[in-house]
Amino acid sequence: MPNSLDRLTHSLRLRRIGVRLALSYGLLLVLFSIVLLLPISQIRKMTSLSEKFARKEVQSLLYVQELSVSTENVGRALLQFLTVPYEQRVPEYAIVDEKNRQIDRLITALEASLSDDEQLKNLKVLQEKRRIYNKHYLDTVNQLEEEGQEAAKASFITQVKPALDALLDQSKSFLKREQELILTHQAQAQRELEQTSMLVAMLSVFGVIMAAVLAWLTTRSVVKPLARLEASALQIARGDYQTRFIPSKTEEVARVGEALNTMAEAIGIREQAVERLAYYDSLTGLPNRTLLLKTHEGKDLPHQGFILMDLARLKVINETLGFDTGDTVISDIALRLKTVISDDTSTAKPWLARLAGGAFAILCTDSSKTSIEDLHQRIDAAMANPVKCGLHSVDVSLVYGFAITAGTPMPLMTLVRNAEVALYAAKRSASASAWYSDAQEASRLTHLSLLSDLRSAVRGAELQMWLQPKLRLDTGKAYGFEALVRWQHPTRGFISPADFVPFAERTGYINLLTMWMLEQAIVTLKNWQGKYPNQTIAVNVSTHDLRDASFPDQISALLRQYELNPKLLKLEITESGIMEDPSSTIELLNRLRAIGLELSIDDFGTGYSSLSYLQRLPVSELKIDRSFVTDIDKLPATQGLVKAIIEMGHGLGLSVIAEGIETAAERESLRLLGCDSMQGYFASKPLYGEGLQKWLASLSTD
């Protein structure tokens, strides 16, 4: 029996929620359709009865009522007819005849409208009494004409009036029966309406009961499995990817359960992949920085040493031989480091990890310098042979930063930071390795404090703009100045630009310096309009400024604010700044040139500029770097190179200026080579304050 039930359930697809819901809602729809159609049917039936009542029974009732009235009127008219003089009888004949005809018409109409058998019998009786009355009426009329009024009156009393009363009684009986029929029909309609209401109420109750039963069955077959699905989903959400949903007899829920099980399995696989990506380097398979910190942070190991290594010249390898070669070199280094670590004989082996780029880290439990130096030497020995990358052999060179705990345990993050400071110190001093020291930390803190001090210096009056004159070599006349920033710190005294300008570039605060210098230069040029209207000032622009798309708009706003001719302001851009992103830089330089600014390439010859880009640059001046100028009078080869630069610049329609001229011989050599202008200590050192005013005063008297 259960098997037969299962087969029936399967064949009817009753295990599907959709089929169950369709059957449930179909049954409810049928029930409520019946509940809705019954009143409509009853209303139509009552409407039909009302029409019948209005059309026949009420009409019949009206006919009967009118018949009674007409019968009474005939009696009065006939009595009037018998009492009037002879000469007035003719009109009375017509009146009595008309009333008799009216009675005949009503009887005929009643005969056509009646459907009740008893009424039809009563109607026959009425017709018979009408016939008797009519016979007596005609006899009385004839007697009136032949025998006179007295004889007619006697006949009226003895024959006509009884017949007329009988006719009237019969019509009243007829009227009463018609009224009873109407009341009977109304009572029947009321009973049918009550029966219909009762049936509708019973069907409604039955529909509500069926709806409740179907809702309970649906809830039982859907909600419970869904609750199990929810519990399984919550287990998966808590990270239990081994949980599995028990199959349900409901097909849709079973499919969702299968999908949930598949999802849990897939998430488990992806979770393992994500965890590996999160904690292991995809290229080398080594633990990454995250796993290093997660594994060892907060454990306060009693003895710790840390070696931070960085592959030197990785950028050159990537740019020259390609990133695939760079990845091959990194993978080979990782294998060599793994071999060194696996050959370590210490009780607790060092812990190797790969950080970003070409950086690797080793955490040692032995913090003695001797053991770390020994590990360092073994690593260097492993790196002695070049890495074979196809047809290329790449020499491997690592830069090391060492940090140890000095007997007192310290957080791992502090140890890592110390090793990073040591590595940075090694790179800065071009050394192969460096140990962390407090002096390095002090230098680092000093540079960090410069960041907040630099913001204050820009807002305050600590920065100064010094100006170094530019002179034409053919006339010796000054035509402009280069603006140089100087910082007079209130507590540290004079801070060299070599200390804070590169720092500002690395931290992104160079834009503050640039905009401050530009505003100072524009204000100075505005103040010179009366005495030195043709002098220009050139301001150096950093690579960071050239990446700022709003930079031209900021300069344009300053020029409008101070109402200055843009041709008096020059911008000096380095070759390296242009070549970092030539396409974007050229677009920005064109925007600057459109403002009306003069542009100059600074330190020309020290970068990697391309002639194809150079001819596209909207510049008006080349500035030869001082490295080509120093002792140029004694270096024929340098003279040939500088002459080629000058001729190239002139060929491109540019003026050429040399910087760093310190002797008359250097000046004369550049003049003979065709250089247009000069800048350097031979002409003047950078000037500020009173010294600048004296120099300008002498300029005005030339």
Side-chain angles (χ1 to χ4, degrees):
M1 184 66 181
N3 293 333
S4 301
L5 183 60
D6 288 342
R7 285 195 299 272
L8 178 62
T9 301
H10 180 73
S11 62
L12 295 178
R13 308 184 76 178
L14 294 179
R15 290 182 177 177
R16 298 191 60 180
I17 297 176
V19 174
R20 295 181 185 180
L21 291 177
L23 291 175
S24 301
Y25 287 118
L27 179 59
L28 291 177
L29 182 61
V30 170
L31 288 174
F32 286 112
S33 297
I34 294 173
V35 170
L36 179 64
L37 291 175
L38 274 176
I40 294 176
S41 175
Q42 184 64 24
I43 290 172
R44 288 183 177 179
K45 184 176 181 181
M46 291 183 67
T47 302
S48 176
L49 290 175
S50 298
E51 290 177 355
K52 180 180 178 182
F53 178 79
R55 187 175 61 251
K56 288 189 175 182
E57 295 186 358
V58 174
Q59 187 65 42
S60 299
L61 179 63
L62 293 176
Y63 287 159
V64 173
Q65 289 177 339
E66 188 175 354
L67 178 62
S68 299
V69 173
S70 297
T71 302
E72 292 178 354
N73 290 336
V74 165
R76 288 193 293 272
L78 186 58
L79 184 61
Q80 180 69 23
F81 169 73
L82 294 175
T83 57
V84 297
Y86 176 80
E87 60 274 8
Q88 295 180 2
R89 290 179 189 168
V90 175
E92 293 296 332
Y93 276 136
I95 292 173
V96 173
D97 288 342
E98 177 58 30
K99 292 186 180 297
N100 287 328
R101 285 193 295 274
Q102 177 68 19
I103 292 172
D104 292 336
R105 285 196 297 271
L106 289 173
I107 292 174
T108 303
L110 278 172
E111 186 176 10
S113 64
L114 291 177
S115 58
D116 183 69
D117 293 339
E118 185 176 350
Q119 285 290 77
L120 289 173
K121 291 179 180 179
N122 291 334
L123 181 61
K124 289 182 179 180
V125 174
L126 184 66
Q127 289 175 335
E128 178 61 24
K129 292 186 176 182
R130 161 62 181 151
R131 186 185 63 77
I132 295 172
Y133 156 73
N134 193 50
K135 178 179 178 301
H136 290 308
Y137 164 69
L138 292 176
D139 292 342
T140 302
V141 170
N142 292 330
Q143 188 177 11
L144 177 64
E145 294 297 332
E146 294 176 358
E147 300 179 10
Q149 289 182 337
E150 293 299 326
K153 288 181 182 180
S155 296
F156 174 80
I157 294 172
T158 59
Q159 296 180 359
V160 175
K161 189 172 186 311
L164 189 60
D165 290 340
L167 179 62
L168 181 60
D169 291 340
Q170 186 62 33
S171 66
K172 289 181 179 179
S173 175
F174 200 90
L175 175 61
K176 181 179 180 182
R177 175 59 183 171
E178 192 64 31
Q179 289 174 342
E180 290 175 353
L181 286 175
I182 291 175
L183 293 175
T184 301
H185 289 160
Q186 288 179 338
Q188 181 181 357
Q190 182 65 30
R191 286 195 302 273
E192 290 180 357
L193 180 61
E194 291 175 354
Q195 291 174 357
T196 302
S197 300
M198 181 62 68
L199 182 59
V200 168
M202 292 173 62
L203 288 174
S204 299
V205 171
F206 180 71
V208 171
I209 294 173
M210 287 298 298
V213 171
L214 292 173
W216 178 77
L217 291 175
T218 303
T219 301
R220 183 181 178 185
S221 61
V222 176
V223 174
K224 287 186 177 180
L226 288 179
R228 293 202 304 271
L229 278 176
E230 181 184 11
S232 299
L234 291 175
Q235 285 182 292
I236 294 173
R238 288 192 290 267
D240 181 9
Y241 304 118
Q242 302 304 317
T243 185
R244 292 295 181 266
F245 176 73
I246 301 174
S248 171
K249 292 184 179 181
T250 304
E251 288 187 13
E252 290 88 346
V253 177
R255 288 201 299 270
V256 175
E258 291 175 3
L260 187 65
N261 292 338
T262 303
M263 182 186 71
E265 183 177 354
I267 291 177
I269 295 173
R270 284 197 293 270
E271 182 82 4
Q272 294 175 359
V274 169
E275 184 175 358
R276 181 157 189 84
L277 289 174
Y279 295 123
Y280 291 89
D281 176 54
S282 59
L283 179 62
T284 63
L286 291 174
N288 59 15
R289 183 189 186 100
T290 303
L291 185 57
L292 171 68
L293 296 176
K294 180 181 179 182
T295 305
H296 300 286
E297 180 66 18
K299 293 187 177 180
D300 290 336
L301 300 177
H303 302 288
Q304 288 182 339
F306 201 84
I307 303 176
L308 189 61
M309 300 161 283
D310 193 21
L311 175 60
R313 302 185 302 278
L314 177 59
K315 182 179 180 181
V316 176
I317 294 172
N318 287 334
E319 292 177 350
T320 306
L321 302 178
F323 286 93
D324 290 342
T325 301
D327 290 344
T328 301
V329 173
I330 291 172
S331 298
D332 192 273
I333 292 175
L335 289 174
R336 299 184 188 190
L337 289 172
K338 289 179 183 178
T339 302
V340 172
I341 297 300
S342 63
D343 293 341
D344 192 277
T345 58
S346 59
T347 304
K349 290 184 180 296
W351 212 84
L352 175 64
R354 186 205 170 187
L355 308 185
F360 295 86
I362 297 177
L363 177 62
C364 307
T365 56
D366 190 348
S367 62
S368 66
K369 283 192 174 184
T370 303
S371 63
I372 290 179
E373 287 288 359
D374 176 67
L375 181 57
H376 172 209
Q377 291 174 7
R378 286 189 283 122
I379 293 173
D380 268 351
M383 303 298 163
N385 296 325
V387 177
K388 297 293 183 180
C389 302
L391 301 176
H392 304 285
S393 294
V394 180
D395 290 327
V396 176
S397 176
L398 297 179
V399 182
Y400 300 84
F402 306 118
I404 59 175
T405 59
T408 302
M410 65 174 61
L412 180 58
M413 280 298 299
T414 303
L415 194 63
V416 173
R417 178 179 60 83
N418 293 347
E420 289 175 344
V421 172
L423 180 64
Y424 177 73
K427 290 181 177 181
R428 188 172 52 188
S429 61
S431 302
S433 62
W435 284 87
Y436 172 77
S437 66
D438 293 337
Q440 295 167 351
E441 181 69 11
S443 175
R444 187 183 186 199
L445 292 175
T446 298
H447 279 84
L448 288 176
S449 65
L450 282 177
L451 182 61
S452 59
D453 291 348
L454 184 58
R455 290 196 296 264
S456 301
V458 172
R459 292 193 297 266
E462 299 175 22
L463 297 181
Q464 300 171 352
M465 184 181 72
W466 290 59
L467 298 176
Q468 187 173 31
K470 298 179 179 181
L471 279 64
R472 301 198 182 277
L473 284 172
D474 55 352
T475 64
K477 298 290 186 179
Y479 69 93
F481 300 82
E482 179 183 0
L484 305 170
V485 65
R486 298 291 184 265
W487 186 0
Q488 190 66 34
H489 196 279
T491 57
R492 301 182 187 181
F494 176 77
I495 300 178
S496 171
D499 289 333
F500 71 87
V501 171
F503 174 73
E505 288 180 342
R506 289 196 302 272
T507 57
Y509 279 86
I510 191 66
N511 183 257
L512 291 175
L513 289 177
T514 303
M515 296 310 299
W516 185 88
M517 289 289 288
L518 284 169
E519 185 168 10
Q520 294 301 309
I522 291 173
V523 170
T524 301
L525 289 169
K526 184 68 176 178
N527 294 334
W528 284 358
Q529 290 302 289
K531 293 185 178 181
Y532 319 108
N534 297 321
Q535 294 296 318
T536 63
I537 294 179
V539 177
N540 290 282
V541 176
S542 72
T543 304
H544 182 81
D545 296 319
L546 297 179
R547 298 194 201 105
D548 186 358
S550 66
F551 184 58
D553 297 330
Q554 296 178 51
I555 298 178
S556 180
L558 284 175
L559 292 169
R560 288 195 304 270
Q561 179 182 349
Y562 292 100
E563 299 179 350
L564 182 70
N565 184 356
K567 293 186 177 297
L568 299 178
L569 182 66
K570 288 188 175 183
L571 302 181
E572 295 190 1
I573 302 106
T574 61
E575 278 185 281
S576 58
I578 296 173
M579 297 310 298
E580 185 173 292
D581 186 3
S583 300
S584 299
T585 302
I586 290 174
E587 181 183 352
L588 187 138
L589 293 179
N590 282 319
R591 291 174 58 194
L592 292 171
R593 190 70 184 86
I595 296 173
L597 302 172
E598 297 287 337
L599 305 179
S600 174
I601 299 180
D602 195 11
D603 301 334
F604 186 79
T606 61
Y608 303 94
S609 60
S610 167
L611 293 180
S612 63
Y613 281 114
L614 183 61
Q615 62 182 350
R616 294 168 52 193
L617 296 175
V619 298
S620 58
E621 182 182 72
L622 290 183
K623 197 169 188 180
I624 301 175
D625 187 70
R626 66 174 60 200
S627 60
F628 297 98
V629 173
T630 303
D631 295 330
I632 190 173
D633 54 305
K634 303 173 185 178
L635 303 171
T638 303
Q639 292 177 18
L641 179 59
V642 171
K643 182 175 178 61
I645 294 174
I646 293 172
E647 290 178 351
M648 179 192 66
H650 288 164
L652 294 173
L654 309 177
S655 64
V656 181
I657 180 174
E659 64 176 340
I661 297 176
E662 297 185 358
T663 66
E666 292 172 350
R667 181 195 65 177
E668 186 62 20
S669 296
L670 287 163
R671 188 185 66 80
L672 293 175
L673 291 174
C675 188
D676 300 306
S677 307
M678 63 166 285
Q679 178 183 343
Y681 280 12
F682 182 77
S684 173
K685 293 181 179 181
L687 303 169
Y688 178 75
E690 185 178 348
L692 175 62
Q693 294 303 318
K694 288 181 179 180
W695 200 92
L696 289 171
S698 65
L699 178 66
S700 63
T701 59
D702 289 343

